[in-house]
Coordinates of all heavy atoms in Angstrom, one line a residue:
M46 N 104.3 74.0 -98.3 CA 104.3 75.3 -97.5 C 105.3 76.2 -98.1 O 106.4 75.8 -98.4 CB 104.6 74.9 -96.1 CG 104.7 76.1 -95.2 SD 105.2 75.8 -93.4 CE 103.7 75.0 -92.8
A47 N 104.9 77.4 -98.4 CA 105.8 78.4 -98.9 C 106.9 78.8 -97.9 O 106.7 78.7 -96.7 CB 105.1 79.7 -99.3
L48 N 108.1 79.2 -98.4 CA 109.2 79.5 -97.5 C 108.8 80.6 -96.5 O 109.2 80.5 -95.3 CB 110.4 80.0 -98.3 CG 111.7 80.3 -97.5 CD1 112.2 79.1 -96.8 CD2 112.7 80.9 -98.5
V49 N 108.1 81.6 -96.9 CA 107.6 82.6 -95.9 C 106.8 82.1 -94.8 O 107.0 82.4 -93.6 CB 106.8 83.7 -96.7 CG1 106.2 84.7 -95.7 CG2 107.7 84.4 -97.7
D50 N 105.9 81.2 -95.1 CA 105.1 80.5 -94.1 C 105.9 79.6 -93.2 O 105.7 79.5 -92.0 CB 103.9 79.8 -94.8 CG 103.0 80.7 -95.5 OD1 102.8 81.8 -95.1 OD2 102.4 80.2 -96.5
E51 N 106.8 78.9 -93.8 CA 107.7 78.0 -93.0 C 108.5 78.8 -92.0 O 108.6 78.4 -90.8 CB 108.7 77.3 -94.0 CG 109.7 76.4 -93.3 CD 110.7 75.8 -94.2 OE1 110.5 75.7 -95.4 OE2 111.8 75.5 -93.8
I52 N 109.1 79.9 -92.4 CA 109.9 80.7 -91.5 C 109.0 81.3 -90.4 O 109.4 81.4 -89.2 CB 110.7 81.8 -92.3 CG1 111.7 81.1 -93.1 CG2 111.3 82.8 -91.4 CD1 112.4 82.0 -94.1
K53 N 107.8 81.8 -90.8 CA 106.9 82.3 -89.7 C 106.5 81.3 -88.7 O 106.5 81.6 -87.5 CB 105.6 82.9 -90.4 CG 105.8 84.2 -91.1 CD 104.6 84.7 -91.7 CE 104.8 86.1 -92.4 NZ 103.6 86.6 -93.0
E54 N 106.3 80.1 -89.1 CA 106.0 79.0 -88.2 C 107.2 78.7 -87.3 O 107.0 78.5 -86.1 CB 105.6 77.7 -89.0 CG 105.4 76.5 -88.1 CD 104.3 76.7 -87.0 OE1 103.4 77.6 -87.1 OE2 104.3 75.9 -86.1
K55 N 108.4 78.7 -87.8 CA 109.6 78.5 -87.0 C 109.8 79.6 -86.0 O 110.1 79.3 -84.9 CB 110.8 78.3 -87.9 CG 110.8 77.0 -88.7 CD 111.9 76.9 -89.7 CE 111.8 75.6 -90.5 NZ 112.9 75.5 -91.5
E56 N 109.5 80.8 -86.4 CA 109.6 82.0 -85.5 C 108.6 81.8 -84.4 O 108.9 82.0 -83.2 CB 109.3 83.3 -86.2 CG 110.4 83.7 -87.1 CD 110.1 85.0 -87.8 OE1 109.3 85.8 -87.3 OE2 110.6 85.2 -89.0
R57 N 107.4 81.4 -84.7 CA 106.3 81.2 -83.7 C 106.8 80.1 -82.7 O 106.7 80.3 -81.5 CB 105.0 80.8 -84.4 CG 103.9 80.6 -83.4 CD 102.7 79.9 -84.0 NE 103.0 78.5 -84.3 CZ 103.1 77.5 -83.3 NH1 102.9 77.8 -82.1 NH2 103.3 76.3 -83.7
R58 N 107.3 79.0 -83.2 CA 107.8 77.9 -82.3 C 108.9 78.4 -81.4 O 108.9 78.1 -80.2 CB 108.2 76.7 -83.1 CG 107.1 76.0 -83.8 CD 107.7 74.8 -84.6 NE 106.8 74.2 -85.5 CZ 107.1 73.2 -86.3 NH1 108.3 72.8 -86.3 NH2 106.2 72.7 -87.1
L59 N 109.8 79.1 -82.0 CA 111.0 79.6 -81.2 C 110.5 80.6 -80.2 O 111.0 80.5 -79.0 CB 112.0 80.2 -82.2 CG 113.4 80.2 -81.6 CD1 114.4 80.1 -82.8 CD2 113.7 81.5 -80.9
R60 N 109.6 81.4 -80.5 CA 109.2 82.4 -79.5 C 108.3 81.8 -78.4 O 108.4 82.2 -77.3 CB 108.4 83.6 -80.2 CG 109.4 84.4 -81.0 CD 108.8 85.6 -81.6 NE 109.8 86.5 -82.1 CZ 109.9 86.9 -83.4 NH1 109.0 86.5 -84.3 NH2 110.9 87.7 -83.7
E61 N 107.6 80.7 -78.8 CA 106.9 80.0 -77.8 C 107.9 79.3 -76.8 O 107.6 79.3 -75.6 CB 106.0 78.9 -78.5 CG 105.1 78.2 -77.6 CD 104.2 77.2 -78.4 OE1 103.3 77.7 -79.1 OE2 104.5 76.0 -78.4
F62 N 109.0 78.8 -77.4 CA 110.0 78.2 -76.5 C 110.6 79.2 -75.6 O 110.8 78.9 -74.4 CB 111.1 77.6 -77.4 CG 112.3 77.1 -76.7 CD1 112.3 75.9 -76.1 CD2 113.5 77.9 -76.6 CE1 113.4 75.4 -75.4 CE2 114.6 77.5 -76.0 CZ 114.6 76.2 -75.3
L63 N 110.9 80.4 -76.1 CA 111.5 81.4 -75.2 C 110.5 81.8 -74.1 O 111.0 81.8 -72.9 CB 111.7 82.7 -76.1 CG 112.8 82.7 -77.1 CD1 112.8 84.0 -77.9 CD2 114.2 82.4 -76.5
K64 N 109.3 81.9 -74.4 CA 108.3 82.3 -73.4 C 108.1 81.2 -72.4 O 108.1 81.4 -71.2 CB 106.9 82.5 -74.1 CG 105.9 83.1 -73.1 CD 104.6 83.4 -73.8 CE 103.6 84.0 -72.9 NZ 102.4 84.3 -73.5
S65 N 108.1 79.9 -72.8 CA 108.0 78.8 -71.9 C 109.1 78.6 -70.9 O 109.0 78.1 -69.8 CB 107.7 77.5 -72.7 OG 108.9 77.0 -73.3
R66 N 110.3 79.1 -71.3 CA 111.5 79.0 -70.5 C 111.9 80.3 -69.8 O 112.8 80.4 -69.1 CB 112.7 78.6 -71.4 CG 112.6 77.3 -72.1 CD 112.7 76.1 -71.1 NE 112.9 74.9 -71.8 CZ 112.0 74.1 -72.3 NH1 110.7 74.4 -72.2 NH2 112.3 72.9 -72.8
G67 N 111.0 81.4 -70.0 CA 111.3 82.6 -69.4 C 112.6 83.3 -69.9 O 113.2 84.1 -69.2
L68 N 112.9 83.1 -71.2 CA 114.1 83.7 -71.8 C 113.7 84.9 -72.6 O 112.6 85.0 -73.1 CB 114.7 82.6 -72.8 CG 115.2 81.3 -72.1 CD1 115.6 80.3 -73.2 CD2 116.3 81.6 -71.1
K69 N 114.7 85.8 -72.7 CA 114.5 87.1 -73.4 C 114.9 86.9 -74.9 O 114.5 87.7 -75.8 CB 115.3 88.2 -72.8 CG 114.9 88.6 -71.4 CD 113.6 89.3 -71.4 CE 113.3 89.7 -70.0 NZ 111.9 90.2 -69.9
G70 N 115.8 86.0 -75.2 CA 116.3 85.8 -76.5 C 117.1 84.5 -76.7 O 117.5 83.9 -75.7
L71 N 117.4 84.2 -77.9 CA 118.2 83.0 -78.2 C 119.2 83.3 -79.3 O 118.8 83.9 -80.4 CB 117.3 81.9 -78.6 CG 118.0 80.5 -78.9 CD1 118.5 79.9 -77.6 CD2 116.9 79.6 -79.5
L72 N 120.4 83.0 -79.1 CA 121.5 83.2 -80.1 C 121.7 81.9 -80.9 O 122.0 80.8 -80.3 CB 122.8 83.6 -79.5 CG 123.9 84.0 -80.4 CD1 123.6 85.2 -81.2 CD2 125.2 84.1 -79.6
L73 N 121.6 81.9 -82.2 CA 121.8 80.8 -83.1 C 123.1 81.0 -83.9 O 123.1 81.9 -84.7 CB 120.6 80.6 -84.0 CG 119.3 80.4 -83.4 CD1 118.2 80.3 -84.5 CD2 119.2 79.1 -82.5
K74 N 124.1 80.2 -83.7 CA 125.4 80.4 -84.3 C 125.7 79.1 -85.2 O 126.4 79.3 -86.2 CB 126.4 80.7 -83.3 CG 127.8 81.0 -84.0 CD 128.6 81.9 -83.1 CE 129.9 82.2 -83.8 NZ 129.9 83.1 -84.8
R75 N 125.3 78.0 -84.8 CA 125.6 76.8 -85.5 C 125.0 76.8 -86.9 O 123.9 77.3 -87.1 CB 125.1 75.5 -84.8 CG 125.9 75.3 -83.5 CD 125.5 74.0 -82.8 NE 125.6 72.9 -83.7 CZ 124.7 71.9 -83.7 NH1 123.8 71.8 -82.9 NH2 124.8 70.9 -84.6
Q76 N 125.7 76.3 -87.9 CA 125.3 76.2 -89.2 C 123.9 75.6 -89.4 O 123.0 76.1 -90.0 CB 126.3 75.6 -90.2 CG 125.8 75.2 -91.6 CD 125.2 76.4 -92.3 OE1 125.7 77.5 -92.2 NE2 124.1 76.2 -93.0
A77 N 123.7 74.5 -88.7 CA 122.4 73.7 -88.8 C 121.3 74.6 -88.3 O 120.2 74.6 -88.9 CB 122.5 72.4 -88.0
N78 N 121.5 75.3 -87.2 CA 120.4 76.2 -86.6 C 120.1 77.4 -87.5 O 119.0 77.7 -87.7 CB 120.8 76.7 -85.2 CG 121.0 75.5 -84.3 OD1 122.1 75.2 -84.0 ND2 119.9 75.0 -83.8
F79 N 121.2 78.0 -88.1 CA 121.1 79.1 -89.0 C 120.3 78.6 -90.2 O 119.3 79.3 -90.7 CB 122.5 79.6 -89.4 CG 122.5 80.8 -90.3 CD1 122.6 82.1 -89.7 CD2 122.3 80.7 -91.7 CE1 122.6 83.2 -90.5 CE2 122.3 81.8 -92.5 CZ 122.5 83.1 -91.9
S80 N 120.6 77.5 -90.8 CA 120.0 77.0 -92.0 C 118.5 76.7 -91.7 O 117.6 77.0 -92.5 CB 120.7 75.7 -92.5 OG 120.1 75.3 -93.6
W81 N 118.2 76.1 -90.5 CA 116.8 75.8 -90.1 C 116.0 77.1 -90.1 O 114.9 77.2 -90.6 CB 116.8 75.0 -88.8 CG 115.5 74.8 -88.3 CD1 114.6 73.8 -88.7 CD2 114.7 75.5 -87.3 NE1 113.4 73.8 -88.0 CE2 113.5 74.9 -87.1 CE3 115.0 76.6 -86.5 CZ2 112.5 75.4 -86.3 CZ3 114.1 77.1 -85.7 CH2 112.8 76.5 -85.5
M82 N 116.6 78.1 -89.4 CA 115.8 79.3 -89.1 C 115.6 80.1 -90.4 O 114.6 80.8 -90.5 CB 116.5 80.2 -88.1 CG 115.7 81.3 -87.6 SD 114.3 80.8 -86.6 CE 113.2 82.1 -87.0
T83 N 116.5 80.0 -91.3 CA 116.4 80.9 -92.6 C 115.9 80.1 -93.8 O 115.8 80.6 -94.9 CB 117.8 81.5 -92.9 OG1 118.7 80.4 -93.1 CG2 118.3 82.4 -91.8
G84 N 115.4 78.9 -93.6 CA 114.9 78.1 -94.7 C 116.0 77.6 -95.7 O 115.7 77.6 -96.9
G85 N 117.2 77.3 -95.1 CA 118.2 76.8 -96.0 C 119.4 77.7 -96.2 O 120.3 77.4 -96.9
G86 N 119.5 78.9 -95.5 CA 120.6 79.8 -95.6 C 121.9 79.2 -95.1 O 121.9 78.3 -94.3
L87 N 123.0 79.7 -95.5 CA 124.3 79.3 -95.1 C 125.1 80.5 -94.4 O 125.1 81.6 -95.0 CB 125.2 78.8 -96.3 CG 124.6 77.6 -97.1 CD1 125.5 77.3 -98.3 CD2 124.6 76.4 -96.1
N88 N 125.7 80.2 -93.3 CA 126.5 81.2 -92.6 C 127.9 80.8 -92.5 O 128.6 81.2 -91.6 CB 125.9 81.5 -91.2 CG 126.0 80.4 -90.2 OD1 126.1 79.2 -90.6 ND2 125.8 80.7 -89.0
L89 N 128.4 79.9 -93.4 CA 129.7 79.4 -93.4 C 130.7 80.3 -94.1 O 130.3 80.9 -95.1 CB 129.8 78.0 -94.0 CG 129.0 76.9 -93.2 CD1 129.1 75.6 -94.1 CD2 129.6 76.7 -91.9
V90 N 131.9 80.3 -93.7 CA 133.0 80.8 -94.4 C 133.9 79.6 -94.8 O 134.2 79.4 -96.0 CB 133.8 81.9 -93.7 CG1 135.1 82.3 -94.4 CG2 133.0 83.1 -93.4
G91 N 134.3 78.8 -93.9 CA 135.0 77.6 -94.1 C 134.1 76.4 -93.9 O 133.1 76.5 -93.1
I92 N 134.4 75.3 -94.5 CA 133.5 74.1 -94.3 C 133.9 73.1 -93.2 O 133.3 72.1 -93.1 CB 133.3 73.4 -95.7 CG1 134.7 72.9 -96.2 CG2 132.6 74.2 -96.7 CD1 134.6 72.0 -97.4
T93 N 135.0 73.5 -92.5 CA 135.5 72.5 -91.5 C 135.0 72.8 -90.1 O 135.5 72.2 -89.2 CB 137.0 72.6 -91.5 OG1 137.4 73.9 -91.2 CG2 137.6 72.2 -92.9
T94 N 134.0 73.6 -89.9 CA 133.5 73.9 -88.6 C 132.0 73.9 -88.7 O 131.4 74.2 -89.7 CB 134.0 75.3 -88.1 OG1 133.4 75.5 -86.8 CG2 133.7 76.4 -89.0
E95 N 131.3 73.6 -87.6 CA 129.9 73.7 -87.5 C 129.4 75.0 -87.1 O 128.2 75.3 -87.2 CB 129.3 72.6 -86.6 CG 129.6 72.7 -85.2 CD 129.1 71.5 -84.4 OE1 129.2 70.4 -84.7 OE2 128.4 71.9 -83.3
M96 N 130.3 75.9 -86.6 CA 129.9 77.2 -86.2 C 130.0 78.2 -87.4 O 131.0 78.1 -88.2 CB 130.9 77.7 -85.1 CG 130.7 77.0 -83.8 SD 129.0 77.1 -83.2 CE 129.2 76.2 -81.7
G97 N 129.0 79.0 -87.6 CA 129.0 79.9 -88.7 C 129.7 81.2 -88.4 O 130.0 81.6 -87.2
A98 N 129.9 82.0 -89.4 CA 130.5 83.3 -89.3 C 129.5 84.4 -88.9 O 129.9 85.5 -88.5 CB 131.2 83.7 -90.6
T99 N 128.3 84.1 -89.1 CA 127.2 85.0 -88.8 C 126.2 84.3 -87.8 O 125.9 83.2 -87.9 CB 126.5 85.4 -90.1 OG1 127.4 86.0 -91.0 CG2 125.3 86.3 -89.9
S100 N 125.7 85.1 -86.9 CA 124.7 84.6 -85.9 C 123.4 85.2 -86.1 O 123.2 86.3 -86.6 CB 125.2 84.9 -84.5 OG 126.5 84.3 -84.2
L101 N 122.4 84.5 -85.6 CA 121.0 85.1 -85.5 C 120.6 85.2 -84.1 O 120.9 84.3 -83.3 CB 120.0 84.1 -86.2 CG 120.3 83.8 -87.7 CD1 119.2 82.7 -88.1 CD2 120.2 85.0 -88.5
F102 N 120.0 86.3 -83.7 CA 119.6 86.5 -82.4 C 118.1 86.8 -82.4 O 117.6 87.8 -83.1 CB 120.3 87.7 -81.7 CG 119.9 87.9 -80.3 CD1 120.2 87.0 -79.3 CD2 119.3 89.1 -79.9 CE1 119.9 87.1 -78.0 CE2 119.0 89.3 -78.5 CZ 119.2 88.3 -77.6
I103 N 117.3 85.9 -81.8 CA 115.8 86.0 -81.9 C 115.3 86.4 -80.5 O 115.7 85.8 -79.5 CB 115.2 84.6 -82.3 CG1 116.0 84.0 -83.5 CG2 113.7 84.8 -82.5 CD1 115.9 84.8 -84.8
T104 N 114.5 87.4 -80.5 CA 113.9 87.9 -79.2 C 112.4 87.7 -79.4 O 111.9 87.2 -80.4 CB 114.2 89.3 -78.9 OG1 113.5 90.2 -79.9 CG2 115.7 89.6 -78.9
E105 N 111.6 88.1 -78.3 CA 110.2 87.9 -78.4 C 109.5 88.8 -79.4 O 108.4 88.4 -79.9 CB 109.6 88.2 -77.0 CG 109.9 89.5 -76.4 CD 109.6 89.7 -75.0 OE1 109.8 88.7 -74.2 OE2 109.2 90.8 -74.6
D106 N 110.2 89.8 -79.9 CA 109.5 90.7 -80.9 C 110.4 91.1 -82.0 O 110.0 91.9 -82.9 CB 108.9 91.9 -80.2 CG 109.9 92.7 -79.4 OD1 111.0 92.4 -79.4 OD2 109.4 93.7 -78.8
S107 N 111.7 90.7 -82.1 CA 112.6 91.1 -83.1 C 113.5 89.9 -83.5 O 113.6 88.9 -82.8 CB 113.5 92.2 -82.7 OG 112.7 93.4 -82.4
K108 N 114.2 90.1 -84.7 CA 115.2 89.1 -85.0 C 116.3 89.8 -85.7 O 116.1 90.7 -86.6 CB 114.6 88.0 -85.9 CG 113.9 88.4 -87.1 CD 113.2 87.2 -87.8 CE 112.6 87.5 -89.1 NZ 112.2 86.4 -89.8
F109 N 117.5 89.5 -85.4 CA 118.7 90.2 -85.8 C 119.7 89.2 -86.5 O 119.8 88.0 -86.1 CB 119.4 90.8 -84.6 CG 118.6 91.8 -83.9 CD1 117.8 91.4 -82.8 CD2 118.5 93.1 -84.2 CE1 117.0 92.3 -82.1 CE2 117.8 94.0 -83.5 CZ 117.0 93.6 -82.5
V110 N 120.5 89.7 -87.4 CA 121.6 89.1 -87.9 C 122.8 89.8 -87.3 O 122.9 91.0 -87.4 CB 121.7 89.2 -89.5 CG1 123.0 88.6 -90.0 CG2 120.5 88.5 -90.1
I111 N 123.7 89.1 -86.7 CA 124.9 89.7 -86.1 C 126.1 89.2 -86.8 O 126.3 88.0 -86.9 CB 125.0 89.3 -84.6 CG1 123.7 89.8 -83.8 CG2 126.2 90.0 -83.9 CD1 123.6 89.3 -82.4
S112 N 126.8 90.1 -87.4 CA 127.9 89.7 -88.3 C 129.0 90.8 -88.3 O 128.7 92.0 -88.0 CB 127.4 89.5 -89.7 OG 128.4 89.2 -90.6
N113 N 130.2 90.4 -88.7 CA 131.2 91.4 -88.9 C 130.9 92.1 -90.2 O 130.1 91.7 -91.0 CB 132.6 90.8 -88.9 CG 132.9 89.8 -90.1 OD1 132.5 90.1 -91.2 ND2 133.5 88.7 -89.8
N114 N 131.6 93.2 -90.4 CA 131.3 94.1 -91.5 C 131.7 93.5 -92.9 O 131.4 94.1 -93.9 CB 131.9 95.5 -91.3 CG 133.4 95.5 -91.2 OD1 134.0 94.4 -90.8 ND2 134.1 96.6 -91.4
I115 N 132.4 92.4 -92.9 CA 132.8 91.8 -94.1 C 131.7 90.8 -94.5 O 131.2 90.8 -95.7 CB 134.1 91.1 -94.0 CG1 135.2 92.1 -93.8 CG2 134.4 90.2 -95.2 CD1 136.6 91.6 -93.5
E116 N 131.2 90.0 -93.6 CA 130.2 89.0 -93.9 C 128.8 89.5 -93.9 O 127.9 89.0 -94.6 CB 130.3 87.8 -92.9 CG 131.5 87.0 -93.0 CD 131.7 86.3 -94.4 OE1 130.7 85.8 -94.9 OE2 132.8 86.4 -94.9
G117 N 128.5 90.6 -93.2 CA 127.2 91.2 -93.2 C 126.6 91.5 -94.6 O 125.5 91.1 -94.9
P118 N 127.4 92.2 -95.4 CA 126.8 92.5 -96.8 C 126.6 91.2 -97.6 O 125.7 91.2 -98.4 CB 127.9 93.4 -97.4 CG 128.6 94.0 -96.2 CD 128.6 93.0 -95.1
R119 N 127.5 90.2 -97.4 CA 127.3 89.0 -98.1 C 126.0 88.3 -97.7 O 125.2 87.8 -98.5 CB 128.5 88.1 -97.9 CG 128.4 86.8 -98.7 CD 129.6 85.9 -98.5 NE 129.7 85.3 -97.2 CZ 129.0 84.2 -96.9 NH1 128.2 83.6 -97.7 NH2 129.1 83.7 -95.7
M120 N 125.7 88.4 -96.4 CA 124.5 87.7 -95.9 C 123.2 88.4 -96.5 O 122.3 87.8 -96.8 CB 124.4 87.9 -94.4 CG 125.3 87.0 -93.6 SD 124.9 85.2 -93.7 CE 126.2 84.6 -94.8
I121 N 123.3 89.7 -96.6 CA 122.2 90.5 -97.2 C 122.0 90.1 -98.7 O 120.9 89.8 -99.1 CB 122.4 92.0 -97.0 CG1 122.4 92.4 -95.6 CG2 121.4 92.8 -97.9 CD1 122.9 93.8 -95.3
D122 N 123.1 90.1 -99.4 CA 123.1 89.8 -100.8 C 122.7 88.4 -101.1 O 121.8 88.1 -101.9 CB 124.4 90.2 -101.5 CG 124.7 91.6 -101.5 OD1 123.8 92.4 -101.3 OD2 125.9 92.0 -101.7
E123 N 123.5 87.4 -100.5 CA 123.4 86.0 -100.9 C 122.2 85.3 -100.2 O 121.6 84.4 -100.8 CB 124.7 85.3 -100.6 CG 125.8 85.8 -101.5 CD 127.1 85.0 -101.2 OE1 127.1 84.0 -100.5 OE2 128.2 85.5 -101.7
E124 N 122.0 85.6 -99.0 CA 121.0 84.9 -98.2 C 119.6 85.6 -98.1 O 118.6 85.1 -97.6 CB 121.5 84.6 -96.8 CG 122.8 83.8 -96.8 CD 122.7 82.5 -97.6 OE1 121.6 81.9 -97.7 OE2 123.8 82.0 -98.1
G125 N 119.6 86.9 -98.5 CA 118.3 87.6 -98.5 C 117.7 87.8 -97.2 O 116.4 87.7 -97.0
L126 N 118.5 88.0 -96.1 CA 117.9 88.0 -94.8 C 117.1 89.2 -94.5 O 116.2 89.2 -93.6 CB 119.1 87.8 -93.8 CG 119.8 86.5 -93.9 CD1 120.9 86.4 -92.8 CD2 118.8 85.3 -93.8
E127 N 117.4 90.4 -95.1 CA 116.5 91.5 -94.9 C 115.1 91.3 -95.4 O 114.1 91.7 -94.9 CB 117.1 92.8 -95.6 CG 118.2 93.4 -94.9 CD 118.7 94.7 -95.5 OE1 118.8 94.8 -96.7 OE2 119.1 95.6 -94.7
K128 N 115.0 90.5 -96.5 CA 113.7 90.1 -97.0 C 112.9 89.2 -96.0 O 111.7 89.2 -96.1 CB 113.8 89.4 -98.4 CG 114.4 90.3 -99.5 CD 114.6 89.5 -100.7 CE 115.3 90.3 -101.8 NZ 115.7 89.5 -102.9
Q129 N 113.6 88.6 -95.1 CA 113.0 87.8 -94.1 C 112.8 88.6 -92.8 O 112.5 88.0 -91.8 CB 113.9 86.6 -93.8 CG 114.0 85.6 -94.9 CD 114.8 84.4 -94.6 OE1 115.0 84.0 -93.4 NE2 115.3 83.7 -95.6
S130 N 112.9 89.9 -92.9 CA 112.7 90.8 -91.8 C 113.7 90.8 -90.7 O 113.5 91.2 -89.6 CB 111.3 90.6 -91.2 OG 110.3 90.8 -92.2
F131 N 114.9 90.3 -91.0 CA 116.0 90.4 -90.0 C 116.6 91.8 -90.0 O 116.7 92.4 -91.1 CB 117.1 89.4 -90.4 CG 116.8 88.0 -90.0 CD1 116.3 87.1 -90.9 CD2 117.1 87.5 -88.7 CE1 116.0 85.8 -90.6 CE2 116.8 86.2 -88.4 CZ 116.3 85.3 -89.3
I132 N 116.9 92.2 -88.9 CA 117.6 93.5 -88.7 C 119.1 93.2 -88.7 O 119.6 92.4 -87.9 CB 117.2 94.2 -87.4 CG1 115.7 94.5 -87.4 CG2 118.0 95.5 -87.2 CD1 115.1 94.8 -86.1
I133 N 119.9 93.8 -89.6 CA 121.3 93.6 -89.7 C 122.1 94.4 -88.7 O 122.0 95.7 -88.7 CB 121.8 93.8 -91.1 CG1 120.9 93.1 -92.2 CG2 123.2 93.4 -91.3 CD1 120.8 91.7 -92.1
K134 N 122.9 93.8 -87.9 CA 123.8 94.5 -87.0 C 125.2 94.0 -87.3 O 125.5 92.8 -87.2 CB 123.5 94.2 -85.5 CG 122.1 94.7 -85.1 CD 122.0 96.2 -85.0 CE 120.7 96.7 -84.5 NZ 120.6 98.1 -84.5
T135 N 126.1 94.9 -87.6 CA 127.5 94.6 -87.9 C 128.5 95.2 -86.9 O 128.1 96.2 -86.3 CB 127.9 95.0 -89.3 OG1 127.8 96.4 -89.5 CG2 127.0 94.3 -90.4
F136 N 129.6 94.6 -86.8 CA 130.7 95.1 -86.0 C 132.0 95.0 -86.8 O 132.1 94.2 -87.8 CB 130.8 94.3 -84.7 CG 131.0 92.8 -84.9 CD1 132.3 92.2 -85.1 CD2 129.9 92.0 -85.0 CE1 132.4 90.9 -85.3 CE2 130.0 90.6 -85.2 CZ 131.3 90.0 -85.3
P137 N 132.9 95.9 -86.5 CA 134.2 95.9 -87.3 C 134.9 94.5 -87.2 O 135.0 93.9 -86.1 CB 135.0 97.0 -86.6 CG 134.1 97.8 -85.8 CD 132.9 96.9 -85.5
C138 N 135.5 94.1 -88.3 CA 136.2 92.9 -88.3 C 137.6 93.2 -87.7 O 138.2 94.2 -88.0 CB 136.4 92.4 -89.8 SG 137.2 90.8 -89.9
M139 N 138.1 92.3 -86.8 CA 139.4 92.5 -86.2 C 140.5 92.3 -87.2 O 140.4 91.3 -88.0 CB 139.5 91.6 -85.0 CG 138.6 91.9 -83.9 SD 138.7 90.8 -82.5 CE 140.4 90.4 -82.3
K140 N 141.4 93.1 -87.2 CA 142.6 93.0 -88.1 C 143.5 92.0 -87.4 O 143.7 92.0 -86.2 CB 143.3 94.3 -88.3 CG 142.4 95.3 -89.1 CD 143.2 96.5 -89.3 CE 142.4 97.5 -90.1 NZ 143.1 98.8 -90.3
T141 N 144.1 91.1 -88.2 CA 145.1 90.2 -87.6 C 146.5 90.9 -87.6 O 146.8 91.7 -88.6 CB 145.2 88.9 -88.4 OG1 145.5 89.2 -89.8 CG2 143.9 88.2 -88.3
R142 N 147.2 90.7 -86.6 CA 148.6 91.3 -86.5 C 149.6 90.4 -87.2 O 149.5 89.1 -87.1 CB 149.0 91.5 -85.0 CG 148.1 92.5 -84.4 CD 148.6 92.9 -83.0 NE 148.8 91.7 -82.2 CZ 149.3 91.7 -81.0 NH1 149.7 92.9 -80.4 NH2 149.4 90.7 -80.3
K143 N 150.5 91.0 -87.8 CA 151.6 90.2 -88.5 C 152.6 89.8 -87.4 O 152.9 90.5 -86.5 CB 152.3 91.1 -89.5 CG 151.4 91.4 -90.7 CD 152.2 92.3 -91.7 CE 151.3 92.7 -92.8 NZ 151.9 93.6 -93.8
P144 N 153.1 88.6 -87.5 CA 154.1 88.1 -86.5 C 155.4 88.9 -86.7 O 155.7 89.4 -87.7 CB 154.3 86.6 -86.9 CG 153.5 86.4 -88.1 CD 152.7 87.6 -88.5
R145 N 156.0 89.1 -85.6 CA 157.3 89.9 -85.5 C 158.5 89.0 -85.8 O 158.6 87.9 -85.5 CB 157.5 90.6 -84.2 CG 156.4 91.6 -84.0 CD 156.7 92.3 -82.7 NE 155.6 93.2 -82.5 CZ 155.6 94.2 -81.6 NH1 156.6 94.3 -80.8 NH2 154.6 95.0 -81.5

């Protein structure tokens, strides 16, 4: 099965799940879920956590990548998520304060 067909089938299954549970959407943040939904993509920055730096939000008719403005461009370049019809939504990365 081609990657495009694999992803379409996963979208179909996920949307069927949403409908059966009466849900409007599902947020995927864990690395394993992100990788499953994107056909092997990685949303990690560090390897010591199962939570990724980028999330996927799937609704009944759209799919979004939610990421800070630093990781968003990397997701587009390295993971090709726009080619998979994801809509990219970014937010400003919080600056860390220096200790006093």
